[in-house]
């Protein structure tokens, strides 16, 4: 309660929160008595957007019967970031994986991204990509709040392992009457001086009619981001012909490249919602959301094929002699004076690609939902949903260019990879003396313009590829309200059908020659490089208009052919039922129950067997039970202890379940999906302490543990099945490359969080009122994981040892400032072998953002946002040395072996917001 020595603020607080924040009506409705008591405790006003949103979020968290964390919109009805992934990343225990510097996937408490599910208003939605939910395609403008559930309850689908991100859309009933809010802004990206545009609008009203009250809300949003990317990539390998002393710890770059992007990314959405309250006992809601993410990408890809003449090297275990003559290309040849970090390679191939892509990802979700009090103490609720997701991976056109066969017409490349943040290349003409076995090569005159080396088109591809997922959900729940308990029984049916349809025009050298110029200069632009990375050479961007013209010409002259190895039709049906009880005591609540799911899968695809093709149909079914229990103990009215046990099962993605196989009888290999794969099971325990500091604040500390069974990973193994035997050919001993189940593992850790503001204590501390605007939020998650993959122990892919966020803000006199820093430590990306360079990791990722806003009037404000202020690169690396050391070989630290490096630049945006 407010101390008599504190200066009470305006009692319009709760009205502002209820009417403006677009979220708390439902939250307070969960526990109206508690909400009434808290009305005196929250010390914010409608003029403090950050404090308001924090107050709403904490109230929802406190009243929840399970472990959740919440991001709520502020008084203008907006979340602090452009997309859902970025907005949620501010919360405790949440880290993100980025693409082109933009937050895309969400990891909950360090768990893999595939363990996180996405919901709109409590209905799970399949992402266009599949089970790996993409959150960058969902603009935050559609959300009133984001509720992240970290402890799974029986009313959540069993595939929710780490937790669920529920995007709660806004309703007209969140506002007192007519409401309009929006924003418009523009900005620029520092790298390449590219423009950004953003805007959104929300309109809603409530109507009293003869059949009850009706609320209507319409919203739309648009965001455009133009980008340039600095990039280099190196692919490491172990070279069998490098047999000189010390070879056990040498890994060579067989290809180094620059991917130089010109991008335009757009997010836009439209949504509508109608809520009808015919009386106090009934609510019916109809909702539709259509959101699109587009990625128009022009990529100039210069690939230097360093191992082009690997066969020149003769395997020898003897130390190098005194000769310094260049008898090989120099690749992996320490006798030529080269090392994996520095050296010179003579007469190599430039394998250049010019690619124009037009990615489109869309989600169209439609929900009809009802809630009815059918009798005293009885409540019936139901939901029907249809969602269609599309992943359009089409390529307008891609040209492959290669150097001529004569080595003296190819470049000599001096490389320097000693600095993990640079890939230094110097190009020279190649001088050849002698012929045949007597040929020797030296570096001639240095060349700056890479396009002065001859390159001719060797292939042209046009790709039409669209994956469509149609999902149907029906759910009915019957609840019985007793004096001290609520009992629920529910049934849910889900049907999801994913169809991959891919076809292409693929032309060889002769075909490409009919539609493309043979001189790259005639296909390019005279425009200087827009990035800042030191390439070591200059180049010319390809002309996008000429690429479109070539694509049109190919479509007219050639027919598309299906890519049978990538086409499939996978159908999944889930029949689920659950029993759940919430029991209320003087000291708190207990929530427990069990969910049972029967899952049926059927996949159809064309498989390539030898030189022929045949239809392959595979089906599988299983029944799984998911028990859970959550105990919430109130130490007093501000402190809680939470203890939970929960379980879940992460199923393989649809493309991994496809029955496609490509069989190579010559090499005795099989590749494709695995319809019989078992789900990855997880059983978890959580223990948390929460303190809701009065009059407003939050302290939390907790620990968690998950046991993992049947770990999913991609591997090579013996097929060991007769199902593909035909024509008297036994293929059970072939090598299969695909997703398989591993052994067991575990993930455990702890997290802590704090949110505090100075306002309530300024007078007690004898501080001036002006300092009362300061506040701070901080959270940290620590993880430790280990799983059995392929017979060895390794960390769980996608997990960081620590994740933390720290931010400070100031709000006073209409001014609102926030500075936010996020950091996650390195994480395992893929599990590899020594032959392909070892495991790969993403290096530590951090970001610093700043936002400012000033309320010119109670209805208008100006804002300014600055993102990625540190401008640190994203870096992926391999570390084969760790595998060698694990096997007992003394090996140096090889974590400096960068395999991907990108930088995206700072971004600045400003504009106005309005709210009536």
């Amino acid at each position: 309660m407010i101390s008599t020595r504190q200066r009470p603020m305006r009692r319009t607080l709760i009205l502002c929160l209820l009417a403006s924040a677009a979220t708390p009506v439902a939250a307070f409705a969960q526990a109206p008595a508690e909400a009434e008591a808290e009305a005196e405790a929250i010390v914010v006003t409608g003029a403090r957007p950050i404090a308001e949103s924090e107050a709403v979020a904490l109230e929802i968290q406190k009243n929840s019967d399970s472990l959740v964390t919440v991001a709520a919109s502020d008084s203008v009805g907006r979340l602090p970031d452009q997309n859902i992934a970025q907005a949620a990343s501010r919360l405790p225990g949440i880290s993100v994986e980025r693409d082109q510097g933009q937050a895309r996937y969400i990891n909950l408490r360090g768990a893999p991204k595939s363990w996180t599910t996405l919901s709109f208003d409590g209905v799970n939605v399949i992402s266009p990509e599949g089970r790996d939910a993409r959150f960058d395609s969902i603009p935050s403008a559609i959300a009133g709040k984001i509720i992240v559930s970290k402890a799974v309850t029986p009313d959540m689908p069993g595939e929710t392992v780490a937790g669920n991100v529920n995007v709660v859309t806004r309703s007209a009933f969140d506002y007192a009457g007519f409401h309009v809010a929006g924003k418009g802004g523009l900005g620029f990206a520092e790298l390449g001086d590219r423009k950004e545009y953003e805007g959104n609008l929300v309109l809603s009203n409530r109507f009293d009619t003869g059949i009850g009250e009706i609320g209507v809300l319409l919203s739309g949003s648009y965001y455009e981001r133009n980008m340039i990317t600095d990039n280099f990539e190196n692919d490491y390998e172990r070279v069998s012909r490098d047999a000189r002393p010390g070879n056990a710890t040498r890994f060579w770059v067989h290809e180094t490249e620059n991917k130089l992007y010109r991008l335009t990314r757009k997010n836009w959405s439209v949504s509508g919602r109608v809520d009808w309250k015919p009386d106090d006992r009934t609510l019916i809601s109809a909702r539709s959301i259509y959101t699109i993410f587009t990625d128009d990408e022009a990529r100039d890809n210069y690939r230097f094929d360093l191992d082009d003449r690997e066969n020149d090297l003769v395997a020898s275990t003897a130390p190098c002699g005194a000769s310094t003559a260049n008898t090989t290309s120099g690749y992996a040849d320490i006798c030529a004076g080269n090392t994996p970090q520095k050296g010179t390679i003579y007469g190599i191939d430039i394998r250049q690609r010019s690619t124009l892509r037009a990615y489109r990802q869309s989600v169209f979700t439609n929900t009809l939902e009802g809630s009815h009090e059918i009798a005293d103490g009885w409540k019936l609720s139901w939901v029907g949903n249809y969602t269609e997701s599309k992943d359009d991976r089409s390529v307008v056109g891609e040209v492959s260019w290669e150097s001529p066969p004569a080595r003296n017409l190819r470049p000599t490349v001096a490389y320097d990879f000693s600095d993990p943040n640079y890939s230094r290349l110097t190009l020279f003409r190649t001088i050849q003396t002698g012929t045949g076995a007597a040929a020797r090569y030296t570096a001639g005159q240095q060349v700056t313009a890479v396009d002065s080396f001859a390159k001719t088109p060797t292939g042209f591809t046009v790709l039409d590829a669209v994956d469509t997922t149609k999902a149907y959900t029906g759910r009915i729940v019957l609840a019985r309200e007793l004096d001290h308990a609520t009992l629920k029984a529910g049934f849910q049916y889900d049907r999801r059908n994913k169809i991959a349809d891919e076809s292409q025009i693929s032309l060889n050298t002769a075909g490409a020659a009919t539609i493309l110029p043979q001189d790259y200069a005639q296909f390019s632009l005279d425009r200087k490089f827009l990035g800042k990375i030191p390439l070591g050479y200059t180049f010319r961007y390809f002309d996008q208009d000429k690429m479109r013209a070539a694509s049109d010409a190919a479509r007219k002259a050639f027919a598309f052919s299906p890519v049978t190895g990538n086409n499939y039709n996978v159908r999944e049906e889930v029949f689920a039922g659950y029993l759940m009880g919430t029991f209320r005591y003087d000291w708190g609540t207990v929530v427990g129950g069990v969910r049972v799911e029967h899952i049926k899968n059927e996949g159809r695809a064309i498989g390539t067997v030898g030189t022929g093709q045949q239809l392959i149909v595979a089906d599988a079914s299983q029944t799984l039970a998911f028990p859970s229990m959550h105990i919430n103990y109130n130490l007093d009215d501000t402190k809680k202890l939470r203890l939970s046990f929960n379980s879940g099962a992460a199923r393989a993605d649809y493309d991994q379940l496809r029955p496609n196989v490509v069989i190579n009888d010559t090499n005795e290999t099989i590749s494709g999906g695995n319809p019989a794969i078992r789900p990855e099971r997880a059983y978890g325990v959580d223990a948390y302490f929460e303190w809701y500091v009065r009059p407003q604040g939050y302290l939390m500390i907790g620990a968690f543990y998950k046991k993992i069974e049947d770990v999913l990973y991609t591997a090579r193994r013996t097929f060991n099945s007769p199902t593909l035997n035909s024509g008297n050919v036994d293929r059970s001993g072939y090598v299969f490359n695909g997703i398989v189940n591993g052994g067991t593992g575990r993930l455990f850790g702890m997290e802590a969080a704090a949110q505090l503001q100075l306002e309530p204590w300024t007078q007690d501390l004898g501080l001036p009122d002006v300092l009362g605007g300061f506040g701070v939020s901080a959270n940290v998650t620590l993880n430790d994981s280990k799983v059995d993959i392929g017979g060895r122990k390794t960390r769980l892919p996608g997990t960081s040892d620590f994740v933390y966020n720290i931010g400070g803000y100031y709000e006073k006199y209409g001014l609102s400032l926030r500075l936010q820093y996020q950091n996650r430590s390195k994480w395992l990306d893929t599990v590899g072998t020594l032959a392909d360079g070892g495991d790969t990791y993403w290096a530590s990722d951090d970001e610093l953002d700043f936002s400012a806003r000033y309320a010119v009037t109670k209805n208008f404000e100006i804002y300014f946002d600055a993102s990625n202020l540190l401008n640190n690169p994203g870096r992926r690396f391999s570390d084969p040395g760790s595998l060698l050391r694990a096997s007992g070989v003394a090996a140096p630290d090889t974590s400096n072996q960068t395999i991907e490096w990108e930088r995206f630049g700072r971004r600045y945006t400003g504009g106005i917001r309005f709210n009536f």
Side-chain angles (χ1 to χ4, degrees):
M1 305 295 289
I2 298 177
S3 166
T4 55
R5 291 187 297 168
Q6 294 172 348
R7 181 165 56 92
M9 305 192 80
R10 294 193 299 271
R11 288 297 306 276
T12 55
L13 156 70
I14 296 300
L15 291 178
C16 286
L17 287 174
L18 291 174
S20 301
T23 60
V25 170
F28 283 109
Q30 295 176 16
E34 291 181 81
E36 182 70 22
E38 291 295 322
E40 296 291 343
I42 305 173
V43 190
V44 295
T45 71
R48 301 189 61 186
I50 298 175
E52 283 180 9
S53 58
E54 286 187 355
V56 173
L58 294 179
E59 188 67 16
I60 297 169
Q61 290 176 200
K62 180 182 177 183
N63 291 330
S64 173
D65 289 322
S66 63
L67 183 63
V68 301
T69 185
V70 180
S73 62
D74 62 20
S75 60
V76 188
R78 64 115 196 182
L79 288 159
D81 299 282
Q82 189 276 325
N83 71 52
I84 294 297
Q86 190 68 26
S89 69
R90 316 292 187 186
L91 299 173
I94 294 180
S95 56
V96 296
E97 295 183 25
R98 305 179 192 276
D99 179 76
Q100 299 287 353
Q102 193 170 4
R104 170 167 290 182
Y105 302 107
I106 289 178
N107 305 85
L108 295 182
R109 297 191 297 191
K113 61 190 178 186
S114 59
W115 288 12
T116 304
T117 56
L118 164 67
S119 296
F120 286 109
D121 296 307
V123 179
N124 271 31
V125 173
I126 297 298
S127 173
E129 287 188 355
R131 297 201 204 276
D132 291 343
R134 276 188 58 166
F135 294 87
D136 62 340
S137 61
I138 308 170
S140 61
I142 70 174
K145 60 178 175 282
I146 304 169
I147 300 179
V148 180
S149 299
K150 299 178 181 177
V152 181
T153 53
D155 53 352
M156 295 181 186
E159 62 185 332
T160 308
V161 178
N164 172 260
V165 178
N166 187 24
V167 179
V168 181
T169 61
R170 288 172 285 191
S171 165
F173 290 152
D174 292 334
Y175 307 97
F178 175 76
H179 174 73
V180 57
K183 75 172 181 179
L186 56 87
F188 71 96
E190 188 178 63
L191 186 61
D193 191 23
R194 314 295 278 182
K195 299 297 187 289
E196 294 189 13
Y197 309 92
E198 62 178 343
N200 64 60
L201 181 67
V202 179
L203 292 168
S204 72
N205 206 351
R206 301 168 65 158
F207 305 94
D208 287 320
T209 69
I211 57 172
E213 188 176 14
I214 296 177
V216 179
L217 183 144
L218 300 173
S219 70
S221 68
Y222 178 82
Y223 174 65
E224 179 179 327
R225 175 182 178 181
N226 293 278
M227 299 174 56
I228 293 295
T229 301
D230 282 342
N231 165 280
F232 73 83
E233 297 186 19
N234 293 325
D235 293 332
Y236 283 83
E237 69 175 1
R238 202 170 192 175
V239 179
S240 61
R241 292 178 178 83
D242 173 21
R244 305 283 181 179
N247 67 88
T249 59
R250 285 197 292 266
F251 294 83
W252 299 85
V253 175
H254 68 87
E255 181 178 85
T256 182
E257 62 183 311
N258 291 104
K259 292 180 180 178
L260 306 168
Y261 295 90
R262 291 166 287 164
L263 300 173
T264 297
R265 289 187 164 182
K266 299 177 183 178
N267 288 84
W268 63 270
S269 70
V270 292
S271 64
R273 175 168 175 163
V274 177
D275 295 289
W276 175 37
K277 288 183 179 178
D279 52 52
D280 293 337
R281 300 165 63 89
T282 305
L283 175 63
I284 296 176
S285 176
R287 306 182 293 270
S288 288
I289 300 170
Y290 185 46
T291 178
I292 294 182
F293 169 84
T294 68
D295 187 357
D296 294 311
E297 173 190 302
R299 184 175 71 188
D300 290 89
N301 188 188
Y302 285 86
R303 302 180 297 164
F304 299 91
D305 193 9
L306 303 185
D307 69 345
D308 180 44
R309 301 281 300 185
E310 181 181 340
N311 290 341
D312 289 350
L313 189 64
V314 177
S316 173
T317 59
C320 296
S323 174
T324 58
N326 297 319
T327 58
T328 72
S329 70
Y331 177 68
D333 189 352
I334 64 168
C335 295
N338 290 339
T339 70
Q341 290 76 39
K342 293 183 179 181
T344 302
I345 303 179
Y346 303 90
I348 67 169
D349 185 16
I350 300 175
R351 296 192 297 129
Q352 178 183 341
R353 281 190 305 208
S354 308
T355 309
L356 183 61
R357 296 181 173 179
Y359 287 167
R360 301 288 186 273
Q361 290 197 334
S362 64
V363 176
F364 184 35
T365 182
N366 306 271
T367 303
L368 185 63
E369 182 174 7
S371 176
H372 313 268
E373 293 184 23
I374 56 179
D376 188 24
W378 290 89
K379 186 175 181 179
L380 178 69
S381 59
W382 52 270
V383 172
N385 175 270
Y386 169 72
T387 297
E388 183 171 300
S389 301
K390 285 185 177 292
D391 183 13
D392 188 338
R393 301 174 284 106
S394 297
V395 176
V396 176
E398 180 175 90
V399 185
S400 298
W401 312 81
E402 290 199 25
S403 304
R407 291 179 64 184
N408 61 346
L409 298 179
R410 296 180 171 190
T412 287
V413 176
Y415 63 88
D416 182 351
F417 306 133
S418 58
D419 189 325
N421 292 303
Y422 291 96
S423 176
R424 293 184 170 94
L425 303 178
T426 306
L427 310 183
F428 302 89
R429 296 288 180 188
T430 301
I431 305 299
Q432 178 180 343
T433 58
T435 60
R440 299 292 183 267
Y441 301 92
T442 56
Q445 181 182 8
Q446 183 177 345
V447 177
T448 302
V450 67
D451 293 322
S452 64
F453 289 100
K455 302 182 296 293
T456 56
T458 58
F460 184 74
T461 301
V462 180
L463 178 68
D464 282 353
V466 180
D467 298 345
T468 302
T469 305
K470 297 182 178 181
Y472 305 85
T473 296
R475 183 175 67 214
I476 185 167
V477 179
L478 182 65
R480 172 61 167 156
E481 191 72 34
L482 304 175
D483 288 341
H484 300 288
T486 301
L487 304 179
K488 289 183 179 180
F491 174 79
Q492 181 168 325
Y493 171 75
D494 289 281
R495 174 172 172 164
R496 299 157 180 170
N497 203 76
K498 183 164 186 175
I499 299 174
D501 185 7
E502 185 172 320
S503 60
Q504 68 178 11
I505 298 171
S506 182
L507 306 180
N508 57 18
T509 302
T514 64
I515 59 174
L516 293 170
Q518 297 301 291
D519 182 2
Y520 179 70
Q522 300 175 25
F523 198 70
S524 61
L525 301 170
D526 187 11
R527 178 181 299 168
K528 73 173 185 177
F529 178 43
L530 297 171
K532 295 183 178 180
I533 189 173
L535 299 176
Y537 57 87
T538 62
F539 75 101
R540 295 169 63 97
Y541 288 109
F542 76 84
D543 188 323
Q544 297 183 49
D545 290 337
K546 291 181 179 179
M547 180 71 82
R548 293 187 182 94
S551 179
D552 291 341
R555 288 174 179 270
K556 292 177 181 177
F558 302 94
F560 280 88
S561 299
V563 184
T564 55
N566 293 335
N567 292 341
Y568 59 88
N569 184 333
V570 173
R571 186 183 68 195
E572 176 182 69
E573 290 182 288
V574 183
F575 303 84
Y578 71 88
L579 295 174
M580 175 178 171
T582 302
F583 303 93
R584 295 179 290 274
Y585 303 94
D586 292 340
W587 48 264
T589 62
V590 175
V591 180
V594 64
R595 183 184 188 92
V596 177
E597 293 185 348
H598 179 68
I599 305 153
K600 297 171 60 178
N601 292 308
E602 181 188 88
R604 293 174 174 267
I606 301 297
T608 301
V609 180
T611 59
Q613 294 182 338
Q614 64 185 53
L615 175 66
I616 298 176
V617 180
D619 56 59
S621 64
Q622 58 189 167
T623 301
L624 302 172
F626 305 102
S628 64
M629 177 173 287
H630 308 269
I631 301 172
N632 307 283
Y633 186 85
N634 299 323
L635 298 173
D636 57 35
D637 58 355
T638 64
K639 303 179 185 69
K640 283 179 175 285
L641 287 176
R642 298 187 188 269
L643 180 66
S644 73
F645 165 78
N646 50 81
S647 57
R651 301 195 288 274
D653 214 339
Y654 300 103
D655 62 332
Q656 297 168 330
L657 292 171
R658 75 190 195 276
N660 300 54
V661 288
V662 176
I663 299 174
N664 188 316
D665 287 321
T666 301
N667 297 328
E668 297 189 349
T669 59
I670 302 171
S671 61
N674 184 357
I677 193 75
R678 297 186 303 275
E680 189 172 49
R681 298 297 303 268
Y683 306 90
V685 177
D686 306 297
Y688 278 72
F689 168 75
E690 299 175 345
W691 182 9
Y692 295 87
V693 181
R694 288 186 172 178
Q696 183 183 346
Y698 176 60
L699 298 172
M700 175 271 285
I701 188 168
F704 54 89
Y705 175 88
K706 284 190 183 296
K707 179 183 177 182
I708 310 164
E709 297 178 352
D710 292 328
V711 175
L712 294 173
Y713 72 103
T714 300
R716 292 168 56 88
R717 63 170 178 80
T718 303
F719 186 60
N720 199 29
S721 172
T723 55
L724 295 178
N725 293 350
S726 64
N728 296 320
V729 178
D730 181 4
R731 299 185 175 96
S732 61
Y734 283 16
V735 174
F736 172 77
N737 184 31
I739 190 166
V740 297
N741 289 112
T744 61
R746 49 97 177 131
L747 168 69
F748 69 86
M750 63 159 292
E751 62 175 322
Q755 291 177 213
L756 297 168
Q757 54 184 299
L758 195 57
E759 181 77 51
W761 295 286
T762 50
Q763 291 189 11
D764 287 351
L765 297 174
L767 299 175
D769 285 350
V770 67
L771 297 181
F774 284 103
V776 65
S777 63
N779 58 76
V780 61
T781 304
L782 305 177
N783 287 306
D784 186 273
S785 65
K786 187 170 288 186
V787 294
D788 182 2
I789 293 180
R792 66 182 177 96
K793 299 291 185 180
T794 185
R795 66 170 66 191
L796 189 66
T799 63
S800 294
D801 289 343
F802 65 83
V803 178
Y804 67 91
N805 293 271
I806 185 167
Y809 66 82
Y810 181 83
E811 289 190 304
K812 202 80 171 177
Y813 316 116
L815 179 65
S816 177
L817 306 173
R818 184 199 288 266
L819 187 67
Q820 191 83 22
Y821 176 76
Q822 305 173 45
N823 183 285
R824 67 175 298 188
S825 64
K826 75 171 185 179
W827 69 95
L828 177 64
D829 182 48
T830 60
V831 177
T833 65
L834 286 175
D836 55 22
D839 299 340
T840 66
Y841 299 83
W842 279 103
S844 176
D845 173 70
D846 64 353
E847 186 161 329
L848 180 67
D849 300 327
F850 173 77
S851 64
R853 55 201 291 176
Y854 179 71
V856 180
T857 71
K858 67 177 183 179
N859 301 116
F860 287 94
E861 68 177 24
I862 56 176
Y863 74 92
F864 170 76
D865 294 325
S867 304
N868 193 32
L869 290 174
L870 299 177
N871 193 25
N872 287 329
R875 176 176 171 264
R876 190 159 58 100
F877 63 92
S878 62
D879 188 10
S882 62
L883 291 181
L884 289 170
R885 291 190 295 273
S887 62
V889 177
D893 179 9
T894 53
S895 61
N896 66 334
Q897 292 187 175
T898 300
I899 58 176
E900 183 175 0
W901 188 101
E902 291 182 311
R903 179 173 278 158
F904 314 100
R906 301 173 182 87
R907 304 190 307 277
Y908 307 94
T909 308
I912 63 167
R913 294 189 178 92
F914 57 89
N915 180 38
F916 293 92

